[in-house]
């Protein structure tokens, strides 16, 4: 008999959302998960599966049963010939990266954070940048799903193909993802070059930048023209780094947090802080070379509120200039740096923000210095309005104000996804407050 723990308080990484599940489980086998689902059915409880808890929204929250998959974290199979790896859904990418490295393999693209579980990464549509690369779920070639009824479904392009297109970005509402098979590539090193530019230059020559670097992104510093351009490209050069504890932590972390805290009393300081830190940390050329996952991953520093929408790539310039103008026209509305701009290839995954279109992701941020909330509502709603106007779709892991009527407009395949969800989970066992806003 599987036992759940009472009195556990769940909080996401940023400590912006949390819940108190009635029972908290850490199963070690499929049989135990089946028992939990049986118990939930008998007691008329809902179930939420959680991995690393990194999502900056309430997508993983529940007051009923919570299943944390951290003990189901094994690598099940490495196929060197096909360059594929099959893992349990609870494995953290940080562990997978190291293991793949031992086999001379790597994932072709990764998000900024690797303290996230394989099943969760695909569940919310995690992405990085690179117009030749899709979001992370495009690297999934197969998965197995335990449904509300206790049935295990094998899913791939050739088996249960419809469920596969739904489950590659599943929102945690189709069942429990037990295993994931990723398509890998041969291990590679990346040469990262960051250099200063201006917003005008980058937007006027966007196509050139996209062609020039495999993994191109840029950081815009609101209340200024300042931009840091970042190129990441495969290299055969030996590892090297220009990082220093003093600049990365003493200045880039501790000083920044202190100054942002001061700015909560004097909001007009934010404009100055953004410009000062660009000059201090981003105004000269910096280069790093390391194994791919060490370049893809970077620290998110301290706690933060985040929004991240994907718009059609051709709308990049219009949307960014509109956001810049909105900040200039509203002196009381302040925005922390950076606005991170990334790019991803079109795909056919039903709920992918990149469904059938090459996309630009525009990520905005408001830090919480020493855990203090900074007023952000005006900025948030202004940004959302601009994103919606330009055909945007919100990142599923992030907080947003969209409801079912929005998603029906945004996603041509939304009815298909809903049909699969209702078939696999007719009683709504895997729903929560976040998902009710999506589906009802």
């Amino acid at each position: 008999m599987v036992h759940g723990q009472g009195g556990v308080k769940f909080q996401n990484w940023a400590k912006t959302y949390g819940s108190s599940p009635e029972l908290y489980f850490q199963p070690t086998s499929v049989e135990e998960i089946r028992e939990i689902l049986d118990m939930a059915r008998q007691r008329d409880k809902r179930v939420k599966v959680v991995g690393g808890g990194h999502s900056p929204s309430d997508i993983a929250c529940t007051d009923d049963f919570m299943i944390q998959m951290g003990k189901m974290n094994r690598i099940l199979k490495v196929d060197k010939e096909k360059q594929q790896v099959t893992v349990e859904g609870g494995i953290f990418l940080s562990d997978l990266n190291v293991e793949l490295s031992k086999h001379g393999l790597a994932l072709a693209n990764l998000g900024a954070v690797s303290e996230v579980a394989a099943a969760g990464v695909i569940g919310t549509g995690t992405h990085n940048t690179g117009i030749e690369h899709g979001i992370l779920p495009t690297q999934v070639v197969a998965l197995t799903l335990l449904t509300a009824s206790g049935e295990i479904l094998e899913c791939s392009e050739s088996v249960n193909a419809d469920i596969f297109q739904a489950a590659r970005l599943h929102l945690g509402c189709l069942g429990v993802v037990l295993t994931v098979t990723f398509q890998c590539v041969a291990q590679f090193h990346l040469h990262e070059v960051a250099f200063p530019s201006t917003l005008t230059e980058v937007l006027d020559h966007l196509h050139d930048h996209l062609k020039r670097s495999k993994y191109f992104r840029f950081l815009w510093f609101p209340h200024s023209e300042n931009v840091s351009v970042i190129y990441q490209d495969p290299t055969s050069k030996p590892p090297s780094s220009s990082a220093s504890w003093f600049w990365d932590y003493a200045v880039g972390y501790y000083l920044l947090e202190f100054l942002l805290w001061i700015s909560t009393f004097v909001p007009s300081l934010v404009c100055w802080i953004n410009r000062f830190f660009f000059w201090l940390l981003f105004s000269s050329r910096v280069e790093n070379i390391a194994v791919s996952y060490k370049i893809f991953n970077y620290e998110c520093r301290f706690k933060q509120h985040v929004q991240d929408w994907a718009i059609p790539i051709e709308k990049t310039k219009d949307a960014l200039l509109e956001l810049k103008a909105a900040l200039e026209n509203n002196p009381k509305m302040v925005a922390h740096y950076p606005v991170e701009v990334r790019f991803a290839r079109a795909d056919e995954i039903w709920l992918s923000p990149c469904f059938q279109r090459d996309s630009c992701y525009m990520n905005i941020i408001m830090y919480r210095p020493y855990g203090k909330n900074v007023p952000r509502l005006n900025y948030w709603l202004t940004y959302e309005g601009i994103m919606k106007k330009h055909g945007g779709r919100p990142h599923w892991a992030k907080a947003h104000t969209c409801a079912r009527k929005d998603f029906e407009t945004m996603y041509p395949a939304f009815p298909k996804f809903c049909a699969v969800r209702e078939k696999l989970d007719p009683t709504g066992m895997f729903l929560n407050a976040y998902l009710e806003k999506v589906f009802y």
Side-chain angles (χ1 to χ4, degrees):
M1 186 67 183
V2 67
H3 291 288
Q5 203 179 337
V8 172
K9 170 85 172 143
F10 166 76
Q11 277 195 313
N12 68 343
W13 172 81
K15 293 187 166 48
T16 47
Y17 294 89
S19 63
S20 300
E22 184 181 316
L23 288 175
Y24 179 86
F25 299 88
Q26 286 189 297
T28 58
S29 67
V30 177
E31 290 69 33
E32 285 184 23
I33 299 175
R34 274 207 181 101
E35 276 185 48
I36 297 163
L37 299 188
D38 285 344
M39 194 191 302
R41 204 175 298 108
Q42 287 158 17
R43 299 191 194 178
D44 198 24
K45 296 291 180 186
R46 287 177 165 181
V47 176
K48 206 78 224 107
V49 183
V50 64
H54 226 281
S55 294
S57 71
D58 55 345
I59 192 168
C61 294
T62 185
D63 292 328
D64 287 5
F65 289 3
M66 181 173 279
I67 298 177
Q68 204 282 330
M69 293 289 282
K71 290 184 176 172
M72 296 184 68
N73 63 351
R74 292 173 303 155
I75 291 179
L76 301 174
K77 184 184 179 188
V78 178
D79 186 331
K80 284 194 177 180
E81 204 174 313
K82 289 184 179 173
Q83 294 190 321
Q84 291 177 355
V85 62
T86 302
V87 298
E88 289 185 311
I91 192 169
F92 272 22
L93 292 193
S94 50
D95 296 324
L96 177 58
N97 292 333
V98 173
E99 287 304 313
L100 283 177
S101 197
K102 292 176 186 172
H103 294 280
L105 296 173
L107 291 171
N109 209 347
L110 286 165
V113 178
S114 277
E115 270 60 54
V116 285
V121 161
I122 66 169
T124 54
T126 300
H127 68 96
N128 184 16
T129 195
I131 199 56
E132 294 173 14
H133 295 272
I135 62 173
L136 266 60
T138 60
Q139 298 175 73
V140 175
V141 292
L143 55 85
T144 57
L145 190 67
L146 179 65
T147 67
S149 66
E151 183 186 5
I152 292 179
L153 298 176
E154 306 276 342
C155 306
S156 67
E157 294 275 11
S158 55
V159 183
N160 291 317
D162 268 13
I163 295 172
F164 181 62
Q165 287 303 20
R168 280 207 285 175
L169 204 161
H170 54 75
L171 302 183
C173 68
L174 304 179
V176 182
V177 174
L178 298 175
T179 72
V180 182
T181 302
F182 288 104
Q183 181 61 52
C184 304
V185 295
Q187 185 181 28
F188 61 106
H189 282 65
L190 282 174
H191 181 192
E192 178 180 75
V193 181
F195 58 92
S197 186
T198 64
L199 189 61
T200 304
E201 187 282 325
V202 172
L203 293 178
D204 285 350
H205 301 97
L206 192 59
H207 187 65
D208 296 336
H209 285 291
L210 285 162
K211 279 199 304 190
R212 212 170 286 153
S213 175
K214 250 192 169 24
Y215 304 96
F216 155 67
R217 74 179 196 274
F218 67 92
L219 312 177
W220 170 54
F221 289 66
H223 311 292
S224 78
E225 259 282 305
N226 296 329
V227 161
S228 176
V229 173
I230 298 155
Y231 288 172
Q232 295 170 339
D233 291 285
T235 183
S236 52
K237 292 178 186 171
S240 64
S241 173
S242 54
S244 90
W245 183 91
F246 176 76
W247 291 107
D248 285 0
Y249 282 90
V251 174
Y253 188 109
Y254 298 111
L255 178 61
L256 177 62
E257 185 164 31
F258 175 69
L259 290 176
L260 288 176
W261 180 76
I262 297 282
S263 78
T264 62
F265 306 101
V266 191
S268 59
L269 282 177
V270 169
C271 308
W272 176 83
I273 292 168
N274 287 2
R275 290 173 184 154
F276 175 63
F277 271 85
F278 178 80
W279 170 77
L280 206 58
L281 298 179
F282 298 91
S283 59
S284 57
R285 185 183 173 96
V286 177
E287 298 190 40
N288 288 302
I289 298 172
V291 68
S292 59
Y293 66 85
K294 290 184 179 176
I295 296 287
F296 286 140
N297 289 167
Y298 53 89
E299 255 184 295
C300 288
R301 304 291 159 158
F302 39 93
K303 310 306 182 207
Q304 54 197 240
H305 286 284
V306 186
Q307 277 245 46
D308 191 17
W309 285 52
I311 54 175
I313 198 164
E314 61 274 13
K315 303 284 189 182
T316 304
K317 182 175 182 176
D318 291 349
L320 255 178
L321 291 179
E322 213 167 306
L323 185 62
K324 184 172 188 268
L327 289 168
E328 285 166 357
N329 296 332
N330 295 280
K332 288 187 176 173
M333 188 163 68
V334 296
H336 291 167
Y337 84 80
V339 172
E340 185 178 19
V341 185
R342 290 173 285 179
F343 304 89
R345 192 189 68 215
D347 61 53
E348 291 297 324
I349 298 170
W350 291 349
L351 290 192
S352 166
C354 302
F355 182 73
Q356 295 184 340
R357 67 186 198 198
D358 289 345
S359 299
C360 163
Y361 278 92
M362 208 173 290
N363 183 93
I364 65 167
I365 198 165
M366 287 299 275
Y367 291 112
R368 300 174 59 237
Y370 310 121
K372 184 176 182 180
N373 275 328
V374 179
R376 67 181 197 285
L377 191 61
N378 283 351
Y379 181 33
W380 247 230
L381 294 176
T382 300
Y383 163 86
E384 275 203 352
I386 294 168
M387 294 294 104
K388 278 185 179 174
K389 176 183 162 185
H390 292 290
R393 297 166 178 160
H395 189 319
W396 291 106
K398 314 288 165 77
H400 54 75
T401 62
C402 299
R404 177 169 179 143
K405 64 180 189 312
D406 299 302
F407 297 121
E408 285 173 339
T409 307
M410 293 169 177
Y411 288 99
F414 192 74
K416 286 186 182 177
F417 187 94
C418 291
V420 167
R421 189 198 72 76
E422 285 155 20
K423 182 180 157 196
L424 295 182
D425 186 21
T427 63
M429 179 187 280
F430 295 107
L431 293 180
N432 64 356
Y434 175 103
L435 292 169
E436 280 179 341
K437 283 183 284 190
V438 173
F439 295 112
Y440 294 107

